[in-house]
Amino acid sequence: QVQLVESGGGLVQAGGSLRLSCAASGIIVSIKAMGWYRQAPGKQRELVAIINSGGSTNYVDSVKGRFTISRANAQNTVYLQMNSLKPEDTAVYYCNAQGVLTLFQGPNDYWGQGTQVTVSS
């Protein structure tokens, strides 16, 4: 069974920074892509940033230049460095792993439990 464990959320003032981490555990052979989504109250979940196994990245326009996604393939871990945070970045942030292949099953997609990020004005 694959689990995604997130950490790093919290409360920060506008203009501040946070770093989210997500580690995938299990007997994992490969992961096609890892990313971060967020969901604010009353809104749909949206893709924030994604990185594939080759290191190619994609960001939602609203975070370009402020957020950086990175990945440690050997540790099946993905990070999201968030700088110049704004109140509109407030949301629950979810880690996502796509195309996860283990010794026993897959490829499948998995989600983390979510971590709250709150940016005060």
Side-chain angles (χ1 to χ4, degrees):
Q1 182 69 11
V2 174
Q3 288 188 321
L4 302 183
V5 180
E6 301 146 338
S7 60
L11 172 64
V12 65
Q13 289 188 331
S17 298
L18 284 174
R19 188 185 192 221
L20 305 182
S21 300
C22 172
S25 64
I27 308 176
I28 297 171
V29 174
S30 62
I31 302 177
K32 181 178 180 181
M34 299 186 77
W36 291 93
Y37 289 70
R38 66 186 179 188
Q39 188 167 18
K43 294 187 177 181
Q44 289 187 333
R45 189 174 297 188
E46 66 169 353
L47 173 66
V48 177
I50 191 167
I51 183 168
N52 66 17
S53 58
S56 296
T57 59
N58 194 27
Y59 298 88
V60 66
D61 286 345
S62 60
V63 308
K64 287 180 179 178
R66 300 188 297 121
F67 291 11
T68 302
I69 190 169
S70 60
R71 178 173 171 177
N73 287 333
Q75 289 77 39
N76 294 318
T77 300
V78 65
Y79 306 95
L80 185 68
Q81 178 66 43
M82 304 185 293
N83 298 328
S84 302
L85 282 161
K86 304 176 180 180
E88 50 264 43
D89 294 318
T90 296
V92 178
Y93 284 69
Y94 296 91
C95 178
N96 172 254
Q98 300 177 9
V100 181
L101 182 65
T102 72
L103 285 180
F104 309 108
Q105 62 183 0
N108 293 312
D109 296 348
Y110 296 90
W111 290 92
Q113 79 283 359
T115 184
Q116 178 70 45
V117 171
T118 302
V119 184
S120 63
S121 57

